[in-house]
Amino acid sequence: KHNTLPARLLTSNWALFAAGSQKIRTVACEGSETQLKCDKGQLISVSRATYGRSDQKTCSSGRPVQQTTNVQCSGNADKVAQRYRCWVFSTGQPCLAFLQFSKPDEGPTVACEGSVAQLQCDKGQLISVSRATYGRSDQKTCSSGRPANQLTNVQCSGNADKVAQSCNGKQSCSIRAANSVFGDPCVGTYKYLEVDYLCYGELFFWL
């Protein structure tokens, strides 16, 4: 009798720091392993990792239909960011890297339109942005003194990749929440910048 639980997969979005920085996406089917690889002198920064299923096609080979039907199955996989293996391409020798991550606070950093977001890590730690959006997803945030017609559109969201580009790898970073920086995803709506980030340190390599 087939197991009716969904066949899950691990999806990781990660970036290489230093020379030749690039965004990479990896997928590992349930029961297999995923390896995050980097060139010598580069560091991995995991921006997002999920464990579950969001479509019926990925990792479906040989699986019964009932294991791939549930595509609303998704869980956070923060452990990918906390510990991973890294291989040095230039020599073919393995290196083992440990990163100690910590959250600077309990919630995201929010900066109302026209103000400046301050991202700060403790001494010896560096910023890793996991999510950044510019727009509006509720009527309460950054609403003080604003007319109702500027708060109605809560389906206003634009990607704010520039936060990661400007702040990743720094101890502290300031970035303005403004249309001139991120564009205007919804004209007439008063927007805000929302950033989730981690601080990391204690990096060791054995080459």
Side-chain angles (χ1 to χ4, degrees), residues 43-82:
L43 305 180
I44 295 170
S45 173
V46 177
S47 58
R48 185 177 65 91
T50 59
Y51 179 62
R53 175 167 292 278
S54 59
D55 65 69
Q56 290 184 305
K57 186 176 180 180
T58 307
C59 292
S60 60
S61 179
R63 293 286 176 175
V65 175
Q66 63 266 34
Q67 288 191 2
T68 59
T69 303
N70 183 1
V71 295
Q72 300 298 321
C73 163
S74 182
N76 194 284
D78 285 339
K79 288 185 178 180
V80 178
Q82 294 168 6

Side-chain angles (χ1 to χ4, degrees), residues 14-206:
W14 49 288
L16 302 181
F17 283 153
S21 180
Q22 58 182 303
K23 288 185 178 180
I24 300 171
R25 182 175 183 266
T26 62
V27 175
C29 301
E30 184 175 359
S32 64
E33 294 184 358
T34 183
Q35 293 182 350
L36 280 60
K37 298 182 180 181
C38 59
D39 288 334
K40 188 174 183 179
Q42 293 184 322
L43 305 180
I44 295 170
S45 173
V46 177
S47 58
R48 185 177 65 91
T50 59
Y51 179 62
R53 175 167 292 278
S54 59
D55 65 69
Q56 290 184 305
K57 186 176 180 180
T58 307
C59 292
S60 60
S61 179
R63 293 286 176 175
V65 175
Q66 63 266 34
Q67 288 191 2
T68 59
T69 303
N70 183 1
V71 295
Q72 300 298 321
C73 163
S74 182
N76 194 284
D78 285 339
K79 288 185 178 180
V80 178
Q82 294 168 6
R83 182 172 180 175
Y84 52 80
R85 287 186 179 274
C86 163
W87 270 259
V88 182
F89 287 161
S90 58
T91 64
Q93 297 298 316
C95 65
L96 186 61
F98 288 90
L99 288 180
Q100 182 65 46
F101 280 82
S102 63
K103 282 193 173 183
D105 51 46
E106 290 302 317
T109 295
V110 175
C112 302
E113 184 175 350
S115 65
V116 176
Q118 302 283 352
L119 280 61
Q120 181 70 49
C121 290
D122 292 337
K123 186 177 181 180
Q125 292 191 322
L126 304 176
I127 295 167
S128 177
V129 175
S130 53
R131 184 183 66 91
T133 59
Y134 179 66
R136 176 166 292 277
S137 59
D138 64 65
Q139 291 185 313
K140 186 177 180 180
T141 306
C142 292
S143 60
S144 180
R146 291 289 165 176
N149 63 328
Q150 291 187 3
L151 310 173
T152 305
N153 184 1
V154 294
Q155 301 297 321
C156 162
S157 182
N159 194 285
D161 284 341
K162 287 185 179 180
V163 179
Q165 295 169 9
S166 300
C167 299
N168 275 351
K170 296 180 180 179
Q171 182 185 341
S172 62
C173 181
S174 302
I175 189 162
R176 180 170 292 278
N179 297 337
S180 58
V181 178
F182 302 106
D184 193 344
C186 44
V187 177
T189 295
Y190 185 63
K191 294 165 284 292
Y192 52 87
L193 176 65
E194 192 171 60
V195 183
D196 282 305
Y197 70 99
L198 299 173
C199 297
Y200 68 91
E202 300 182 16
L203 175 65
F204 302 94
F205 281 100
W206 285 268

